[in-house]
Amino acid sequence: MCMSHSPRVVHVIHSGAVGGGPRVVLSLATGVPGEHVIAAPADGPLLADAQREGVDTARLPRGGKYSFPVSAPSLRAAVATADIVHVHGQFAGFYAGVIARTCRKRVVYTAHFPSFVTDSGPRNRIRNRLVEATSCAAAQVTVACSQTMREEYIRRRLTKSHDIVTIYNGVPEQHATVPVERVRDDLGVGLEEQVILGLGRFTDQKGFDVLLEAMRIVLCRAPQAVLTLAGDGERRQALEDRARRLEIYSSVRFAGFRRDTADLMNIAAVVAVPSRYEVFPLVALEAMMAGRALVATDLPVLREAITGGEQGFLVPLDPGALADGLIRLLEDADLRRLMGTAGRRRAQARFGEDRMAGEYATLYERVLEPA
């Protein structure tokens, strides 16, 4: 297939809710040359955000991982005029990828959150392997968001090494638009207090329960510290209850879901990423791009983003270890600045949104080359 025009790419994702996958979808639809359509349920802000950016959308009937069979007619209609169907996530890959191949479309599968990351029990492992293997088989190319995940796909024999590439997620350079004093006032944070910032969904994965335990230790050495948790989710009430039991609730701000990430980064002394597992977290990249030092869990995927001791500290998921890293940065402004500057340089060089868009544009060209 030789293209004499910009490709028409239909992006399919199982949910338009807040998260890293939908954000990458919107970045590609607005940043990669060509015509783009986003097909997703209206269960979150993705479709509305896309429409505001002038991106065409196709609404799928229902949201959720297991709703794609109901959406089959809508998916067939959405992919009918596509040159490339870009499926995001394994359930989009499993259903939409197969539909696209039966329609003789070129398929790219991006594994935003591989299902084997959370394997639990033999039944789930069998199901997850089937879903991942089918998603990879339906695609001309599978994209892993980290080298760690690429190697894991190959090790598990879900795809072959020449059929999977690594493209790191990218984030834009954002700038604060609201004065520091107003942001602090909105959060109930004093001008002399040092903000430890945590961003993300309130789920077990993100490790905010351990961060609260660490915060109790931090306050013994740095009573001026305030933990701001921006996000929402199923564990919010449990986290608030834990903060009360630990008697640190007055030093924690539950800010809810917010879009003003740059303004929050601007008031942060340190950003914490205490995840139990990740694929390639955008919040770490955003912190680096904003010039903020990090304390993050020592996960293989985070080692690809952060060089421990240079852009921040990589520590075990342990309250004491997290607290030690946070205290060290809170007590040393020069070290915070040094690590923040190193993080910004690394993010600009390796994890920019334009770099990601360029690599996907090159990949689309490759996929459309005659066999």
Side-chain angles (χ1 to χ4, degrees), residues 5-6 17 36 131 195 199 257 295 304 314 343 358 362 364:
H5 61 278
S6 295
H36 293 265
V131 169
V195 175
L199 287 161
F257 169 68
V295 178
E304 295 184 46
L314 294 173
T362 300
Y364 290 163

Side-chain angles (χ1 to χ4, degrees), residues 207 210-211 213-214 217 274 295 297-298 315-325:
V210 183
L211 182 57
E213 299 280 352
I217 302 171
V295 178
T297 316
D298 188 11
V315 301
L317 185 60
D318 169 80
L322 279 169
D324 287 346

Side-chain angles (χ1 to χ4, degrees), residues 256-306:
F257 169 68
R258 298 177 66 116
R259 290 179 178 267
D260 56 342
T261 302
D263 294 318
L264 294 176
M265 292 287 181
N266 196 38
I267 68 166
V270 186
V271 176
V273 185
S275 302
R276 288 183 165 87
Y277 50 88
E278 286 287 359
V279 175
F280 207 68
L282 294 181
V283 64
L285 308 184
E286 288 174 326
M288 292 165 66
M289 193 69 81
R292 292 297 176 264
L294 287 148
V295 178
T297 316
D298 188 11
L299 301 174
V301 293
L302 281 167
R303 290 179 213 143
E304 295 184 46
I306 303 164

Side-chain angles (χ1 to χ4, degrees), residues 3-251:
M3 301 297 300
S4 59
H5 61 278
S6 295
R8 181 176 174 84
V9 183
V10 175
H11 301 268
V12 183
I13 190 167
H14 79 270
S15 174
V18 175
R23 288 180 56 192
V24 170
V25 170
L26 187 57
S27 292
L28 296 179
T30 56
V32 178
E35 298 178 58
H36 293 265
V37 178
I38 296 176
D43 59 347
L46 176 59
L47 293 185
D49 289 347
Q51 290 162 4
R52 277 194 293 272
E53 295 288 341
V55 178
D56 290 338
T57 61
R59 179 175 176 175
L60 301 181
R62 293 173 57 189
K65 298 176 181 178
Y66 306 104
S67 66
F68 273 111
V70 178
S71 302
S74 299
L75 286 170
R76 286 187 180 277
V79 307
T81 60
D83 298 311
I84 295 173
V85 178
H86 190 160
V87 290
H88 298 266
Q90 65 272 22
F91 288 93
F94 184 77
Y95 292 108
V98 171
I99 288 172
R101 287 305 294 269
T102 62
C103 296
R104 298 186 178 182
K105 302 297 181 180
R106 304 295 177 93
V107 178
V108 172
Y109 165 45
T110 294
H112 290 288
F113 198 91
S115 52
F116 55 73
V117 172
T118 55
D119 273 347
S120 58
R123 182 176 297 179
N124 279 343
R125 281 194 290 272
I126 293 170
R127 182 204 66 186
N128 290 344
R129 181 171 182 83
L130 172 64
V131 169
E132 289 290 355
T134 303
S135 298
C136 292
Q140 271 76 27
V141 179
T142 295
V143 179
C145 298
S146 67
Q147 186 63 19
T148 299
M149 288 297 112
R150 179 180 182 272
E151 292 169 359
E152 192 65 16
Y153 270 86
I154 296 168
R155 186 186 72 80
R156 290 171 179 262
R157 299 183 180 179
L158 294 168
T159 189
K160 296 179 181 178
S161 60
H162 55 77
D163 289 329
I164 183 168
V165 300
T166 299
I167 298 181
Y168 289 119
N169 291 335
V171 295
E173 289 194 55
Q174 296 180 312
H175 303 284
T177 59
V178 179
V180 166
E181 295 80 6
R182 192 187 307 172
V183 179
R184 284 179 171 268
D185 184 62
D186 180 53
L187 293 170
V189 176
L191 292 177
E192 302 304 317
E193 292 178 308
Q194 291 181 295
V195 175
I196 300 168
L197 180 63
L199 287 161
R201 299 184 310 279
F202 290 171
T203 62
D204 286 338
Q205 175 202 348
K206 296 301 181 180
F208 291 138
D209 54 330
V210 183
L211 182 57
L212 288 172
E213 299 280 352
M215 189 62 185
R216 182 171 61 171
I217 302 171
V218 168
L219 289 168
C220 294
R221 288 273 299 276
Q224 77 286 0
V226 173
L227 174 61
T228 296
L229 296 177
D232 217 333
E234 62 199 42
R235 299 291 295 169
R236 175 164 183 162
Q237 189 59 55
L239 291 171
E240 291 194 24
D241 291 344
R242 182 181 290 263
R244 291 188 180 94
R245 287 197 304 272
L246 293 170
E247 299 182 345
I248 62 169
Y249 192 82
S250 62
S251 296

Side-chain angles (χ1 to χ4, degrees), residues 327-347:
I327 290 167
R328 185 173 173 188
L329 286 169
L330 291 175
E331 292 181 341
D332 193 334
D334 289 338
L335 182 60
R336 291 200 306 272
R337 282 192 291 271
L338 185 66
M339 287 185 165
T341 299
R344 181 184 288 116
R345 288 174 179 162
R346 183 169 173 81

